[in-house]
Amino acid sequence: MTPDDILKALYDETLVGNAPRVLELTEEGLGLSMEPQTLLFDALIPSLEEVGARFERGDFFVPEMLIAGRAMAGAMERLRPLLAETGVETIGKFLMGTVKGDVHDIGKNLVNIMLEGAGFEVIDLGVQVAPEKFVAAIEEHQPDIVGFSAFLTTTMPMFKANMNALEKAGIRDEVIVMVGGAPVTQEYADAVGADGYAADASQTVKRAKSLIEAKRTKVPA
Amino acid sequence: MALIACGAIAQPAAAVVDRNGWPVDVHPLPPLLHNHPDRIADQVRALAERLGRSYGRVVVGYADCGTYGALDSVCDDLGLQRLPGLHCYDVYAGRSRLERFFDEQPGTYLLTDFLVRSFDRTVVRELGLDRYPELRDTYFGHYTRVVWLAQEPDEELRALAADAAEGLGLPLTVVETGDHGLEQALADLVRPAV
């Protein structure tokens, strides 16, 4: 296969979520001395963006999103250390977790994949993350953004508990806070004092980028 | 009176109506809306507006059901009452009991008789597990148990519930709720007319 064939096949096989084939093609591409960034930015990310677009149009559903995301995640496992070696600067560091009392993580994991695909370094704390664990992880990893995810109306109040924990630890102003999840709205995000909210994975990427950009260009008072 | 019922509770709701002799016609909406809660409010609105032309009163046999307030907005607009709580699970088991389940184990996956009976269609197929069985742990990896809120647990349903839990790789707890909670909630809805 030529490099162009590899990119086309990688795009197509990611789109249909053929994880074993995506990994094979990634290896083949690397075997042809293709740059990891080329595989990522010219095949994997465009394919996942197409998955997102089809989802928004109603042509794809959650299973198709997940299966494509898993395929890309498999390739990313292989590419991540290579990308790190190349010294490509990440857009920013994003710390993510589902709040305490909530085990739902499908949406969060899709967001993680999209963020990573867009060039963020993602640190995922998993599910049922207690406020003190978020605080400790922020202090350890110094992320640009922390994301709180909740799927249940009964666990959404943990956003406020997390915000209070950040305030108490004196780190609220050091990190951008984004919130999301099925029941979350912009109004709720505003009410708990979050800096950003997005309704889905692709919007999260756009919002995260704009929040980081705004923070970096902000002139200190 | 017309009762717009989620397809997942339409059958037991109709049984309750018959048992009590209430002057209520049950109008079910498709049960698969359970998996697409963003569509519930619009479908309830459309059906309620249509039924409102031929019934003196229309009530809604849905809890919030993942509409996150959108159904309440429809009810407020059209002057309708709905079932209490977040989900039909609250109606069957009571909110405090459900809170205890989730306090004990946040990774509790709930089933009702309807979901047990239709598990292959409403869960396995809808989640794509028939096509992508490897997604099972993606969906259920953080769950620790299945709790079946059983309304009429006969041998056939017990076997189906056991199969469902086994398919998810989770232990099964059976909690026999009966349909008293549903009967009480429906009585509260239809009471002004009976």
Side-chain angles (χ1 to χ4, degrees):
Chain A
M1 293 177 95
T2 67
D4 280 349
D5 292 337
I6 296 269
L7 291 177
K8 182 172 186 321
L10 202 50
Y11 179 95
D12 291 342
E13 298 294 352
T14 302
L15 199 61
V16 297
N18 187 348
R21 187 68 188 128
V22 167
L23 196 53
E24 281 175 14
L25 288 161
T26 302
E27 293 291 358
E28 282 183 47
L30 294 172
L32 291 175
S33 299
M34 293 176 73
E35 293 293 331
Q37 297 98 312
T38 304
L39 298 170
L40 181 62
F41 290 105
D42 293 352
L44 292 166
I45 290 175
S47 183
L48 208 64
E49 285 174 345
E50 175 61 18
V51 171
R54 291 187 185 194
F55 181 77
E56 286 178 10
R57 290 200 302 269
D59 296 332
F60 270 16
F61 297 96
V62 168
E64 286 74 27
M65 288 269 283
L66 289 175
I67 208 78
R70 279 169 59 98
M72 172 150 174
M76 284 304 294
E77 286 292 311
R78 179 71 179 91
L79 295 178
R80 193 176 294 116
L82 302 175
L83 290 164
E85 281 174 19
T86 61
V88 175
E89 199 170 325
T90 61
I91 292 176
K93 196 185 285 189
F94 203 118
L95 184 75
M96 182 72 96
T98 300
V99 299
K100 185 179 178 181
D102 201 326
V103 301
H104 297 88
D105 66 352
I106 290 172
K108 169 181 73 62
N109 293 344
L110 284 171
V111 170
N112 287 348
I113 291 166
M114 294 290 278
L115 284 169
E116 194 164 32
F120 281 88
E121 178 187 352
V122 178
I123 300 159
D124 185 5
L125 301 179
V127 301
Q128 290 211 70
V129 182
E132 57 271 22
K133 191 170 175 186
F134 274 115
V135 168
I138 291 167
E139 288 172 341
E140 179 186 351
H141 298 288
Q142 305 284 308
D144 297 286
I145 304 180
V146 59
F148 304 143
S149 173
F151 184 75
L152 305 171
T153 50
T154 50
T155 55
M156 280 165 63
M158 287 308 299
F159 290 164
K160 190 62 185 167
N162 290 342
M163 299 297 284
N164 291 342
L166 265 57
E167 293 276 4
K168 192 177 171 189
I171 55 174
R172 172 63 187 95
D173 294 336
E174 294 174 18
V175 67
I176 297 165
V177 176
M178 290 188 72
V179 296
V184 185
T185 61
Q186 181 65 59
E187 290 72 26
Y188 194 83
D190 292 341
V192 298
D195 301 305
Y197 155 80
D200 59 38
S202 57
Q203 286 186 40
T204 303
V205 172
K206 290 176 193 159
R207 188 81 181 107
K209 282 180 179 174
S210 68
L211 284 166
I212 284 186
E213 182 68 22
K215 185 170 185 180
R216 288 178 180 165
T217 56
K218 193 175 175 184
V219 180
Chain B
M1 179 187 293
L3 169 67
I4 297 173
C6 166
I9 64 158
Q11 209 170 355
V16 167
V17 165
D18 285 349
R19 191 163 73 219
N20 286 277
W22 293 331
V24 173
D25 292 335
V26 178
H27 294 264
L29 281 170
L32 287 181
L33 287 174
H34 169 85
N35 294 327
H36 304 281
D38 54 314
R39 302 175 192 168
I40 290 173
D42 285 347
Q43 297 221 16
V44 168
R45 179 189 292 276
L47 184 54
E49 286 176 342
R50 186 161 63 78
L51 293 173
R53 292 194 280 272
S54 43
Y55 284 91
R57 185 160 173 251
V58 178
V59 293
V60 178
Y62 276 92
D64 178 73
C65 293
T67 67
Y68 303 123
L71 184 57
D72 282 335
S73 295
V74 170
C75 289
D76 288 346
D77 283 353
L78 303 180
L80 309 174
Q81 280 182 277
R82 68 161 173 87
L83 292 173
L86 295 175
H87 294 280
C88 61
Y89 314 124
D90 301 72
V91 175
Y92 281 126
R95 187 66 215 160
S96 60
R97 185 150 52 158
L98 282 188
E99 283 174 358
R100 183 162 51 79
F101 293 155
F102 285 105
D103 284 345
E104 289 167 0
Q105 294 190 40
T108 296
Y109 187 72
L110 295 170
L111 294 176
T112 62
D113 285 10
F114 171 83
L115 290 170
V116 167
R117 195 174 287 115
S118 64
F119 191 77
D120 281 344
R121 178 168 52 98
T122 52
V123 179
V124 173
R125 208 182 308 163
E126 280 286 299
L127 294 181
L129 293 172
D130 53 340
R131 308 187 297 285
Y132 312 114
E134 66 270 33
L135 287 181
R136 186 190 78 168
D137 290 346
T138 303
Y139 287 118
F140 295 99
H142 297 299
Y143 284 93
T144 54
R145 67 173 172 180
V146 172
V147 170
W148 170 26
L149 306 175
Q151 287 79 64
E152 293 185 61
D154 60 20
E155 285 309 306
E156 182 191 0
L157 276 185
R158 285 182 190 278
L160 288 172
D163 286 348
E166 188 180 350
L168 300 182
L170 297 171
L172 173 67
T173 301
V174 182
V175 177
E176 297 192 16
T177 65
D179 66 0
H180 311 298
L182 178 65
E183 183 166 24
Q184 183 58 54
L186 289 174
D188 291 343
L189 271 187
V190 306
R191 183 168 290 135
V194 299

